[in-house]
Amino acid sequence: MTDEHTTTESFPEIEITKEMEASFIDYAMSVIVSRALPDVRDGLKPVQRRIIYSMFENNINPTSAHRKCSKVV
Amino acid sequence: MTATRDSYKAKDITVLEGLEAVRRRPGMYIGTTGPRGLHHLIWEVVDNSVDEAMAGHCSKIKVTLREDGGVEVIDDGRGIPVDRHAKTKKSALTTVLTTLHAGGKFEQGAYSVSGGLHGVGVSVVNALSMRLEAEVRRDGYLYSQEFKDGRPKSKDPKRLQAVKKSGTTIRFWPSTETFTDTTEFDYEIVASRLRETAFLNRGLEITLLDDRGEEPRSDIFHYKGGLVDFVNHLNANRDPLHAHIIDISDQSDDAELEVALQWTTSYTESVLSFANNINTHEGGTHEEGFRKALTKSINEFARKKNLLKEKDNNLTGEDVREGLTAIISVRVKDPQFEGQTKTKLGNTEIRSYVEKALNRLLPEWLEKYSPEARQIVEKCINASKAREAARKARELTRRKSGLESGGLPDKLADCSSRDPAESEIFIVEGKSAAGPAKAARNSETQAILPIRGKILNVEKARLAKALQNNEVQDIITAMGTGIGDDFDISKARYHKVVLLADADVDGAHIRTLLMTLLFRHMRPLIEYGYVYVAQPPLYRVKVGSSVYYLKDEEELDEFRKDHPKVKPTRFKGLGEMNAGELWDTTMNPETRTLLRVEMADTVLAEEVFQKLMGDDVPSRKLFIQQNADDVRFLDI
């Protein structure tokens, strides 16, 4: 069903359901493992922990001067 | 080849040429030599058995995927005749297996209806198998004949022991010369198709057995409810809007009609049509008749019950079909198939037959189940309101901008060629990747369309809402084909739609979203093989002065065996590559690998999209739990 007159390139086929399932499981598992679930130790999601940590590194704490959040991000 | 030909008698040469033609250009007979074509071999053999079932002579079919890579199909039909055929002077069995366009379905008599779509039959399977064994149980004896590369090993079938029951057994081993990609059959694809066949042939029992794995798998498909069971199966992951499935059947002298339909609370339309058990992807006259009758019946009912007021506009076909799951199955004596993939029913008399029958029977149902019918109409009216609102909103934004060009999206960097056959469009994730892609491309044939972030999941959104989404709009206008009912493949501006997302998990997600859009609203693009997945590399490694690109972990592991000390750089996104790298690895037709997206079975695809992208969370959760181990890479 290919266009014979375009190129002589050959195209391995991939079944749509396989591609969907494979791509989906990659995404879903990654989200579950490293994005969506809070850690039981501190109750933070990885993104939140990254922010808190970088604030800590930059010496931003309740006693320090006021900072805008864009500084942190 | 000439040397072997000499050993044949003159009259055999045409036969050999027939099968030779199949071997030389398999695509003409089975579509592709990839997985889809490979599975076609099974369908071809099973369809023969199903034809026996339709004629009322067969009630059980057993399909076995053998450990040695072959397939066995057993039925309890009448058995292919083995007596001498008057024209070819050979046994009928040999004729059927070695001659194109041979079979009992061309003259009426032996079969009144059959799935004679292919018309080339089991001989094609023989031609494309390195080995084929046929066993026939007929007239009290077992006959057997073997073939190698399409040629019979013995002139006639051998008569073996006496047997009581009749039937046919075909065993074949696909030729590795033809099917160079793979000769491995996929259990899910085979199961889905056989299930479908069992739904369409009420009462027929089909057993599927897989002997290949460590633990044998098997399924028995046997449905007493026929199409009603089919609709139930399709709606398993959706919420039905009403309890009773509409079940209508009708017969005339030349045709039979069966329809089952049910609306769900989802927004997607799943109408599947079949003619003589063949899934007519491209629709055709039976589907047209169905649509017309459905729209008319619903509108009339709505008017009669005053659900639509006098001043209201009629509901459109799209309004009526929102959330509809329907199966239309017709049996036609002399089916004519049209369209590029020969899956569009062309018999014009069927349109009016289906329309008339449904115009009579649908209103009867609606009256009988009036409360449910009201729910259906209310849903349709909601759809209509949403569509109307979306249209107004769209017009408003257009008028605001003051320059409605009707032209191509601003973001599209089009190619200069006007020949769709050589044009390609790369749908690229994000602006950062679009930069190098634009710089790298061959601007004559390659167009770039950047999309921002993640596009809308159209599986969960109403069409009207999907159309309001800018990214969705851009993709549709760039393709030029329109969508849904207005889709016109001949207007496609590109014959290659290449999905080019980052090699990370968000890229994978974007790919699934894009494919959902294409599957739901521009499905012919997939059916015509216009959709491709690009494979950008994941790693770059430098060894001395030379640079290598590796597309996944597997290649990296392989590479490390030879170069244990290398330090690979991981590409986090396409944006990190420079134009030259992107061109060399993913875009240059000389060096890239594009994967063509194939759809072996619409019903299976339908289920997968519903499961992965739809509203039903439990089934998705189950899928993730069951498949968590198959994850290719985790992004941590």
Side-chain angles (χ1 to χ4, degrees):
Chain A
M1 230 44 65
T2 175
D3 308 299
E4 281 149 336
H5 49 287
T6 46
T7 46
T8 50
E9 211 183 335
S10 75
F11 303 102
E13 288 174 14
I14 179 158
E15 167 61 26
I16 189 162
T17 53
K18 294 274 165 295
E19 170 61 33
M20 281 296 290
E21 289 181 346
S23 290
F24 189 84
I25 200 78
D26 282 356
Y27 175 65
M29 282 306 289
S30 299
V31 168
I32 292 170
V33 173
S34 64
R35 235 178 252 180
L37 301 183
D39 194 304
V40 71
R41 286 164 297 187
D42 56 7
L44 295 177
K45 289 183 182 186
V47 186
Q48 300 161 330
R49 188 174 310 111
R50 258 201 306 276
I51 291 174
I52 302 269
Y53 186 69
S54 71
M55 285 169 73
F56 167 75
E57 281 200 318
N58 292 320
N59 282 324
I60 306 175
N61 55 50
T63 55
S64 64
H66 181 84
R67 287 299 164 86
K68 289 205 167 187
C69 28
S70 62
K71 279 270 184 215
V72 180
V73 185
Chain B
M1 218 72 260
T2 29
T4 28
R5 267 188 200 172
D6 290 342
S7 65
Y8 275 83
K9 289 175 187 162
K11 66 177 198 313
D12 288 337
I13 286 176
T14 50
V15 172
L16 185 65
E17 276 178 345
L19 293 196
E20 195 55 42
V22 179
R23 262 198 295 273
R24 266 194 212 133
R25 308 212 47 195
M28 273 181 59
Y29 299 88
I30 53 165
T32 74
T33 55
R36 196 173 61 168
L38 178 71
H39 288 83
H40 201 110
L41 300 183
I42 303 186
W43 318 151
E44 202 67 66
V45 177
V46 171
D47 284 351
N48 276 341
S49 301
V50 172
D51 286 342
E52 276 290 290
M54 281 204 269
H57 300 287
C58 162
S59 61
K60 286 193 177 94
I61 301 174
K62 188 176 172 205
V63 179
T64 310
L65 305 176
R66 295 166 55 101
E67 214 177 348
D68 60 5
V71 177
E72 177 183 75
V73 179
I74 309 177
D75 72 38
D76 62 352
R78 289 170 293 185
I80 300 173
V82 283
D83 46 336
R84 214 157 277 279
H85 190 268
K87 213 189 251 172
T88 58
K89 303 272 188 292
K90 287 189 295 191
S91 119
L93 179 66
T94 322
T95 310
V96 167
L97 283 162
T98 55
T99 321
L100 287 178
H101 311 289
K105 296 154 203 170
F106 294 95
E107 313 276 331
Q108 296 193 349
Y111 294 94
S112 65
V113 286
S114 81
L117 161 67
H118 325 297
V120 285
V122 72
S123 57
V124 169
V125 180
N126 189 19
L128 301 178
S129 296
M130 49 189 186
R131 200 169 125 214
L132 183 142
E133 294 169 13
E135 281 172 20
V136 170
R137 294 170 294 284
R138 193 180 166 94
D139 307 328
Y141 287 98
L142 174 71
Y143 298 85
S144 133
Q145 191 169 22
E146 283 186 44
F147 298 81
K148 192 172 177 294
D149 291 323
R151 290 190 205 91
K153 279 187 173 170
S154 57
K155 193 167 156 287
D156 285 310
K158 279 186 214 119
R159 194 171 91 173
L160 305 168
Q161 72 268 31
V163 286
K164 281 200 183 116
K165 287 179 181 153
S166 68
T168 307
T169 302
I170 302 278
R171 275 184 288 273
F172 67 91
W173 290 261
S175 161
T176 43
E177 276 169 41
T178 306
F179 300 98
T180 45
D181 284 7
T182 175
T183 54
E184 196 175 321
F185 292 97
D186 184 290
Y187 187 86
E188 294 301 329
I189 293 177
V190 177
S192 173
R193 166 70 191 241
L194 295 180
R195 183 184 298 121
E196 200 177 294
T197 307
F199 281 132
L200 292 169
N201 296 278
R202 201 186 295 239
L204 175 65
E205 183 183 313
I206 306 182
T207 311
L208 172 62
L209 197 70
D210 188 350
D211 281 341
R212 296 170 302 177
E214 280 171 15
E215 279 178 40
R217 280 176 85 178
S218 71
D219 273 300
I220 296 176
F221 306 114
H222 185 206
Y223 302 100
K224 295 202 173 84
L227 296 191
V228 172
D229 287 347
F230 200 167
V231 170
N232 260 329
H233 175 77
L234 287 175
N235 284 348
N237 296 336
R238 292 177 176 166
D239 286 330
L241 187 71
H242 52 105
H244 293 93
I245 293 176
I246 307 180
D247 178 21
I248 288 173
S249 57
D250 188 68
Q251 275 189 331
S252 79
D253 294 343
D254 302 312
E256 277 173 50
L257 166 71
E258 263 190 279
V259 178
L261 55 156
Q262 185 180 38
W263 276 263
T264 66
T265 53
S266 80
Y267 301 126
T268 50
E269 166 193 344
S270 318
V271 176
L272 296 170
S273 62
F274 297 84
N276 296 3
N277 284 338
I278 311 280
N279 186 341
T280 40
H281 304 282
E282 293 177 82
T285 50
H286 51 334
E287 214 173 301
E288 287 162 23
F290 165 79
R291 289 173 174 208
K292 271 179 113 173
L294 182 71
T295 312
K296 185 166 174 248
S297 306
I298 295 281
N299 269 308
E300 276 178 4
F301 181 83
R303 294 266 176 220
K304 208 164 113 193
K305 302 285 171 189
N306 217 16
L307 296 163
L308 271 185
K309 306 282 185 295
E310 241 171 70
K311 60 174 175 32
D312 293 339
N313 284 331
N314 265 348
L315 301 164
T316 67
E318 277 173 7
D319 299 338
V320 167
R321 293 193 305 275
E322 189 188 271
L324 173 69
T325 303
I327 317 285
I328 308 145
S329 167
V330 291
R331 301 205 168 173
V332 188
K333 253 187 193 151
D334 183 20
Q336 277 148 25
F337 292 99
E338 299 168 347
Q340 197 167 339
T341 50
K342 294 276 171 236
T343 51
K344 184 175 182 180
L345 187 68
N347 303 47
T348 46
E349 73 280 4
I350 295 300
R351 185 186 305 124
S352 58
Y353 163 65
V354 172
E355 199 183 333
K356 270 186 204 153
L358 290 179
N359 273 339
R360 194 176 71 242
L361 296 164
L362 264 177
E364 278 177 21
W365 190 94
L366 294 173
E367 281 299 336
K368 193 173 162 199
Y369 295 94
S370 187
E372 292 184 33
R374 274 172 188 271
Q375 280 179 302
I376 295 167
V377 170
E378 271 159 26
K379 161 139 183 135
C380 302
I381 291 175
N382 275 337
S384 158
K385 279 183 188 153
R387 181 178 50 86
E388 199 54 26
R391 190 181 57 83
K392 277 187 187 142
R394 208 162 45 232
E395 276 178 5
L396 206 65
T397 51
R398 269 196 202 141
R399 227 173 292 140
K400 259 186 211 158
S401 70
L403 32 92
E404 197 225 316
S405 56
L408 295 164
D410 301 339
K411 282 188 283 179
L412 175 73
D414 207 1
C415 55
S416 58
S417 167
R418 284 287 154 262
D419 178 9
E422 62 169 20
S423 303
E424 308 174 345
I425 182 168
F426 286 79
I427 301 181
V428 184
E429 170 187 354
K431 281 230 170 83
S432 60
K438 275 180 197 165
R441 72 191 175 127
N442 170 1
S443 63
E444 200 183 314
T445 56
Q446 298 181 319
I448 309 287
L449 179 67
I451 48 166
R452 212 185 43 197
K454 299 198 171 169
I455 69 160
L456 188 76
N457 178 2
V458 295
E459 183 80 24
K460 284 193 203 169
R462 198 165 240 166
L463 178 62
K465 195 180 156 212
L467 289 179
Q468 276 177 295
N469 180 285
N470 282 332
E471 317 301 320
V472 174
Q473 267 177 21
D474 284 352
I475 294 168
I476 294 168
T477 32
M479 279 313 298
T481 51
I483 54 161
D485 285 357
D486 306 324
F487 189 93
D488 183 356
I489 192 83
S490 66
K491 289 198 185 132
R493 300 180 60 248
Y494 314 92
H495 284 188
K496 285 199 186 70
V497 183
V498 185
L499 309 184
L500 176 55
D502 290 352
D504 59 14
V505 292
D506 291 294
H509 189 214
I510 288 174
R511 202 153 49 232
T512 62
L513 292 166
L514 284 170
M515 287 213 278
T516 311
L517 172 68
L518 296 175
F519 178 78
R520 279 291 164 219
H521 299 303
M522 306 166 97
R523 193 173 307 175
L525 288 179
I526 301 171
E527 285 160 2
Y528 281 65
Y530 286 1
V531 181
Y532 298 80
V533 175
Q535 296 203 286
L538 194 57
Y539 295 103
R540 171 179 48 198
V541 285
K542 277 193 182 143
V543 182
S545 60
S546 42
V547 185
Y548 299 90
Y549 300 97
L550 306 169
K551 79 169 192 285
D552 49 28
E553 308 276 347
E554 223 170 276
E555 278 193 10
L556 180 66
D557 292 343
E558 195 65 27
F559 193 80
R560 277 200 168 130
K561 281 179 196 157
D562 303 333
H563 310 268
K565 280 186 189 155
V566 295
K567 280 205 187 103
T569 333
R570 169 96 137 79
F571 289 115
K572 287 215 186 65
L574 295 168
E576 286 179 14
M577 278 191 236
N578 64 39
E581 285 174 333
L582 193 58
W583 168 252
D584 289 340
T585 55
T586 12
M587 293 176 73
N588 181 359
E590 309 283 322
T591 51
R592 69 184 176 190
T593 318
L594 291 186
L595 303 178
R596 177 171 26 238
V597 175
E598 280 285 344
M599 183 161 60
D601 189 280
T602 324
V603 180
L604 181 64
E606 177 79 38
E607 285 167 25
V608 169
F609 277 95
Q610 268 184 38
K611 180 174 64 188
L612 299 182
M613 312 304 285
D615 285 317
D616 191 51
V617 179
S619 68
R620 181 158 46 244
K621 194 171 159 190
L622 187 70
F623 169 81
I624 295 174
Q625 284 167 350
Q626 284 171 347
N627 294 279
D629 294 341
D630 294 342
V631 65
R632 288 177 298 191
F633 61 85
L634 279 175
D635 196 19
I636 303 178

